[in-house]
Amino acid sequence: MDEDLLRTAEAWKQEGRKVAIATVVSTWGSSPRQAGSQLVVDDEGRMQGSVSGGCIEGAVIREARECMDGADPKLLAFGVSNEQAWDVGLACGGRVEVYVEALA
Amino acid sequence: MKPDILERINGARAAKRRVALVRFLESHEQALVVEGETVSGSLGGDALAEVETALRQDRSRAVVLAAGRAFIQIFNPPLRLAIIGAVHISQALVEMAKLAGYEVTVIDPRGAFATSERFPGTHLDSDWPDEAMERFDPDRRSAIVALTHDPKLDDPALDVALRSEAFYIAALGSRRTHAGRRERLAALGHGEDRIARIHGPAGLDIGAVSPAEIAISVMAEMTAELRRSRA
């Protein structure tokens, strides 16, 4: 198991894929992954790492795709207070901020 | 993130340097700090002070700086583990420690034990433990686990370990074995407080029986000490 996500990101980029990196920047309550945890995705739907226990990865990947297509980096907030809570909120009741950026 | 910043981060990590990436969450500017020096982008003194704190506490975090809200992501050099004794338990412990992000060295001068067949892809040192441990040079992000049951091999390694800032020192053996070990280390000039740093018997009491289970108990105790000390 290779957990070196930034090396994975570099390797994928060198293969000519579009790559985006999502990083947990802050957490409140019982979020499963601490600040600094990362998820690396590419334009073919591959992913390595995690930013939660699996609750918000789908939504983060959608935003990552926009970044890979040229959108500015974005700071996303998820949690029980979020209006998207029913769709993608953290089942554990925590809150988490995730920064999403393209490797470009 | 610019690809050249990522390459510099990965290069500095490979060279075992202390690295921090500062991302400004509103302006999307980024700065890179290697060993206390800003090598890309620009940072104020408040940022550099926060970077130093984050590295010392081994914890990435969001901070509010004069230049705006920022996320400091830190990359400390890897944790290191020295295992004395290329024994059966070590074979399991090596794999678990690697999964948890440790760089592992197995020390055993007995050629029959320390073979690359038994420890594929692991750094093996077949020198006598005192010399091998001097070379390993434990620091505050190091753990040392003595597993040979043999005082001739364990004691010299523990002697070096006790004079270091290692965050976890442990030795296998029954309580009676450990009592004898304490006396021998005291005779080498180690005080009571210092000897008390050794976890003996090694590992949390989870009723472990098999080598893999004992490795789990040692790994768990090591993790508890790491997170307590914030190495």
Side-chain angles (χ1 to χ4, degrees):
Chain A
M1 187 167 94
D2 185 2
E3 268 286 295
D4 197 333
L5 299 171
L6 291 184
R7 209 159 283 291
T8 300
E10 190 180 339
W12 285 0
K13 187 73 190 168
Q14 280 168 356
E15 287 170 19
R17 312 190 210 171
K18 288 183 185 173
V19 178
I21 300 171
T23 307
V24 175
V25 304
S26 67
T27 64
W28 296 265
S30 59
S31 310
R33 298 286 281 137
Q34 63 177 355
S37 302
Q38 293 188 304
L39 173 71
V40 177
V41 301
D42 77 357
D43 52 349
E44 291 166 26
R46 266 170 274 228
M47 57 182 254
Q48 284 287 339
S50 66
V51 288
S52 77
C55 329
I56 60 169
E57 268 72 5
V60 169
I61 289 168
R62 275 199 296 281
E63 300 287 344
R65 204 159 282 151
E66 286 181 18
C67 290
M68 283 186 274
D69 288 338
D72 279 343
K74 39 187 117 187
L75 184 61
L76 311 172
F78 298 96
V80 287
S81 65
N82 191 294
E83 59 188 18
Q84 296 172 295
W86 286 107
D87 298 331
V88 294
L90 294 166
C92 48
R95 279 208 292 149
V96 57
E97 272 185 315
V98 178
Y99 189 76
V100 185
E101 64 195 315
L103 181 57
Chain B
M1 190 190 298
K2 297 261 179 277
D4 69 296
I5 294 244
L6 179 61
E7 279 170 35
R8 290 174 85 158
I9 293 173
N10 284 341
R13 286 163 64 221
K16 311 243 164 76
R17 290 165 184 251
R18 302 163 86 225
V19 183
L21 174 66
V22 183
R23 293 175 177 85
F24 287 93
L25 300 174
E26 288 137 27
S27 68
H28 305 305
E29 296 289 327
Q30 308 201 332
L32 186 63
V33 182
V34 177
E35 294 292 346
E37 213 174 298
T38 310
V39 297
S40 173
S42 69
L43 290 173
D46 59 340
L48 288 172
E50 292 283 2
V51 161
E52 200 43 48
T53 305
L55 281 165
R56 205 171 48 240
Q57 297 179 351
D58 198 30
R59 199 163 54 187
S60 297
R61 69 184 58 175
V63 293
V64 177
L65 302 168
R69 188 159 179 251
F71 180 65
I72 298 174
Q73 186 174 11
I74 55 111
F75 305 92
N76 267 315
L79 296 160
R80 295 187 299 141
L81 167 65
I83 301 174
I84 323 306
V87 298
H88 197 173
I89 296 169
S90 312
Q91 288 176 287
L93 185 55
V94 162
E95 297 307 320
M96 291 175 195
K98 283 182 183 170
L99 276 175
Y102 288 77
E103 246 181 38
V104 185
T105 298
V106 174
I107 297 169
D108 199 324
R110 302 168 298 180
F113 286 88
T115 66
S116 57
E117 200 166 56
R118 285 162 52 78
F119 293 90
T122 303
H123 178 237
L124 299 171
D125 192 326
S126 55
D127 257 335
W128 206 254
D130 52 352
E131 283 168 28
M133 279 295 294
E134 295 288 358
R135 192 159 41 240
F136 179 77
D137 193 17
D139 58 22
R140 54 201 290 265
R141 288 176 59 76
S142 304
I144 295 110
V145 179
L147 297 176
T148 70
H149 285 115
D150 182 346
K152 284 199 307 298
L153 297 171
D154 283 353
D155 286 5
L158 292 171
D159 183 28
V160 176
L162 287 178
R163 282 185 271 113
S164 78
E165 289 185 289
F167 73 88
Y168 180 71
I169 304 172
L172 205 65
S174 67
R175 280 171 210 292
R176 189 152 46 138
T177 309
H178 192 55
R181 179 182 297 129
R182 299 174 74 103
E183 283 172 23
R184 292 191 305 275
L185 289 168
L188 288 174
H190 296 290
E192 192 84 356
D193 285 2
R194 218 191 253 181
I195 293 171
R197 289 174 63 201
I198 302 175
H199 294 264
L204 297 182
D205 185 2
I206 56 170
V209 175
S210 71
E213 290 171 356
I214 294 167
I216 288 170
S217 80
V218 171
M219 201 64 228
E221 189 175 48
M222 194 187 307
T223 306
E225 285 302 313
L226 169 70
R227 294 307 174 190
R228 225 191 317 275
S229 69
R230 285 240 166 254

